[in-house]
């Protein structure tokens, strides 16, 4: 049998940016959209360290750019190859093709089924699935260029408006919490004009932002291994500008000039243990009913009284981001490269 191999497939920002330009997007908006792939930019300098962590565990490591994946996966040994996709994507991004390519070649996949790569990037559809599972997700409307496709429910506290298929806070501005539906339609027009996307419109939920991170760095890992933290960024919610300052080239520049400032992570269990338990129960339901596994994250809001609201999920969380690195240190007592290598070994059932 061949030596076990971890293949990490990643889509570079520039490849996405160039495609968007060719499709007629404004350069500034194309740069915002492609910033979703900043984890590819941020992780690439660590490929050598990941390779060494893998080698120390008897595992070979091969990073592949997405455009090389079809050829790079062809002919690999199904018994010894594990494919880990760094970034999801079915609309603006193409990472969702990678697990499908792995399956086509009969290769094992680290992470969730490829169908979830599509679901997680459509907030309106994933919310409908959450609701069908009985999970606490805000109801939602859907607008396209100022026109209602689905009217949103009434709300005394206004509505929150964001792109339906874009992550990394793209298209979230300081006025994304609007007080009337005319404002929500205006925001959907702005989103459509800039990003050609529909807007999901949900009743505004008060509370604090929570990130729940998961990595199966040991066999039979369950919801007990979740890292669940309040993300304190200094505001009610993070905007696109806040996000851009943390990752990719913008984040690197911010670090160089001393302007980089990470949000504070505070364990939810320290002050709201009941909310922590509710979130673990939500994760357990998603792992059982939806098939989340290996690596994922959840975004939630928790009210002062303990009510929990599930906002969205990611099958490819930002591994090199500050919050996931902190999770690896606190839960697994490892840096990111070591945690990735250990998780790959656990998936391959290597000792």
């Amino acid at each position: 049998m061949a030596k076990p191999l971890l293949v990490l497939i990643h889509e570079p920002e520039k490849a996405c940016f160039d495609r968007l330009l060719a499709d007629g997007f404004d350069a500034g908006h194309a740069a915002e959209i492609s910033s979703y792939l900043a984890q590819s930019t941020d992780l690439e300098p660590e490929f050598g360290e990941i390779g060494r962590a893998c080698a120390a565990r008897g595992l070979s490591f091969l990073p592949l750019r997405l455009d090389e994946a079809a050829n790079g996966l062809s002919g690999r040994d199904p018994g010894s190859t594990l494919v880990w996709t760094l970034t999801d994507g079915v609309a603006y991004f193409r990472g969702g093709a990678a697990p499908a390519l792995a399956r086509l070649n009969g290769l094992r996949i680290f992470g969730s089924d490829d169908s979830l790569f599509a679901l997680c990037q459509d907030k309106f559809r994933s919310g409908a699935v959450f609701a069908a599972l009985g999970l606490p997700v805000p109801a939602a409307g859907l607008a396209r260029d100022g026109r209602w496709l689905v009217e949103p429910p009434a709300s005394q506290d206004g509505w929150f408006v964001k792109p339906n298929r874009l992550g990394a806070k793209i298209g979230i501005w300081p006025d994304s919490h609007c007080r009337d539906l005319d404002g929500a339609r205006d925001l959907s027009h702005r989103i459509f004009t800039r990003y050609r996307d529909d807007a999901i419109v949900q009743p505004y939920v008060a509370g604090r932002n929570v990130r729940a991170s998961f990595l199966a760095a040991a066999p039979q890992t369950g919801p007990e291994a979740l890292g669940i933290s309040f993300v304190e960024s200094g505001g009610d919610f993070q905007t696109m500008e806040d996000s851009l300052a943390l990752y990719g080239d913008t984040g690197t520049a911010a670090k160089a000039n001393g302007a980089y400032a990470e949000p504070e992570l505070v364990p939810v269990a320290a002050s709201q243990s009941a909310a922590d338990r509710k979130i673990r129960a939500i994760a357990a339901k998603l792992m059982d009913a939806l098939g989340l596994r290996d690596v994922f994250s959840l975004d939630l809001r928790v009210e002062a009284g303990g009510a929990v609201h599930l906002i969205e999920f990611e099958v490819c969380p930002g591994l090199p981001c500050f919050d996931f690195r902190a999770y690896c240190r606190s839960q697994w007592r490892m840096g990111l490269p070591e945690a990735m290598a250990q998780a790959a070994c656990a998936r391959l059932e290597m000792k």
Side-chain angles (χ1 to χ4, degrees):
M1 180 175 171
K3 183 179 181 180
L5 171 68
L6 172 62
V7 180
L8 183 70
I9 298 179
H10 61 109
E11 182 178 8
E13 286 182 85
K14 188 177 186 306
C16 178
F17 177 78
D18 290 344
R19 274 191 306 104
L20 293 171
L21 285 187
D23 198 30
F25 277 84
D26 169 84
H29 300 152
E32 291 169 358
I33 294 170
S34 60
S35 72
Y36 182 81
L37 303 172
Q39 63 169 310
S40 179
T41 301
D42 291 343
L43 196 58
E44 193 164 1
E46 297 181 68
F47 285 167
E49 191 173 351
I50 296 170
R52 289 188 290 274
C54 287
R57 293 165 172 81
L59 183 65
S60 296
F61 175 65
L62 175 65
L64 272 182
R65 295 192 174 199
L66 184 62
D67 289 327
E68 304 166 348
N71 290 331
L73 294 181
S74 179
R76 297 285 175 188
D77 176 21
S80 61
T81 304
L82 181 67
V83 178
W84 187 333
T85 305
L86 186 61
T87 312
D88 49 32
V90 292
Y92 305 89
F93 321 108
R94 299 171 298 155
L101 282 172
R103 186 157 55 88
L104 185 65
N105 284 278
L107 306 176
R108 281 182 281 187
I109 298 167
F110 187 89
S112 300
D113 181 83
D114 45 297
S115 64
L116 296 186
F117 280 64
L119 184 64
C120 77
Q121 284 222 315
D122 191 316
K123 300 179 183 68
F124 186 78
R125 291 179 183 178
S126 62
V129 173
F130 294 159
L133 291 173
L135 298 175
V137 58
L142 193 68
R144 180 177 299 157
D145 197 17
R147 173 174 62 91
W148 294 120
L149 301 176
V150 178
E151 291 195 12
S155 174
Q156 292 184 339
D157 297 318
W159 293 265
F160 199 83
V161 184
K162 59 187 176 183
N164 187 49
R165 298 179 301 171
L166 285 167
K169 309 299 183 289
I170 301 162
I172 296 180
W173 300 286
D175 61 350
S176 289
H177 175 199
C178 60
R179 298 293 176 177
D180 57 70
L181 289 177
D182 286 339
R185 283 193 293 265
D186 288 345
L187 279 167
S188 82
H189 172 69
R190 188 193 308 171
I191 287 168
F192 189 85
T193 300
R194 295 190 181 197
Y195 310 119
R196 306 179 191 175
D197 199 8
D198 296 338
I200 184 169
V201 182
Q202 295 173 304
Y204 170 77
V205 176
R208 299 162 72 185
N209 296 311
V210 170
R211 170 64 56 86
S213 300
F214 180 86
L215 180 67
Q220 286 82 53
T221 300
E224 73 284 348
L226 279 167
I228 304 173
S229 297
F230 291 115
V231 183
E232 307 288 11
S233 61
D236 183 30
F237 54 88
Q238 279 188 290
T239 65
M240 178 171 59
E241 185 177 356
D242 296 331
S243 182
L244 288 174
L246 292 172
Y247 313 120
D249 293 337
T250 306
T252 300
K255 290 175 183 176
N257 63 29
Y260 180 81
E262 294 178 354
E264 182 183 5
L265 297 173
V266 181
V268 171
S271 60
Q272 292 187 263
S273 58
D276 180 271
R277 290 192 296 273
K278 290 177 185 176
I279 293 168
R280 293 184 195 277
I282 289 170
K285 180 78 170 182
L286 291 172
M287 294 174 79
D288 181 36
L290 206 59
L292 287 184
R293 68 175 190 190
D294 296 339
V295 62
F296 61 86
S297 67
L298 309 177
D299 286 331
L300 310 100
R301 293 273 277 189
V302 173
E303 296 187 43
V308 172
H309 305 270
L310 175 60
I311 305 300
E312 58 189 74
F313 76 105
E314 291 281 354
V315 295
C316 293
L319 300 183
C321 299
F322 72 95
D323 56 306
F324 203 85
R325 290 183 188 275
Y327 164 69
C328 290
R329 290 193 300 269
S330 61
Q331 175 63 36
W332 297 112
R333 303 295 189 265
M334 298 179 189
L336 179 62
E338 293 77 16
M340 291 178 66
Q342 190 66 35
C345 288
R347 186 74 174 86
L348 288 166
E349 299 180 347
M350 296 171 60
K351 293 183 180 179

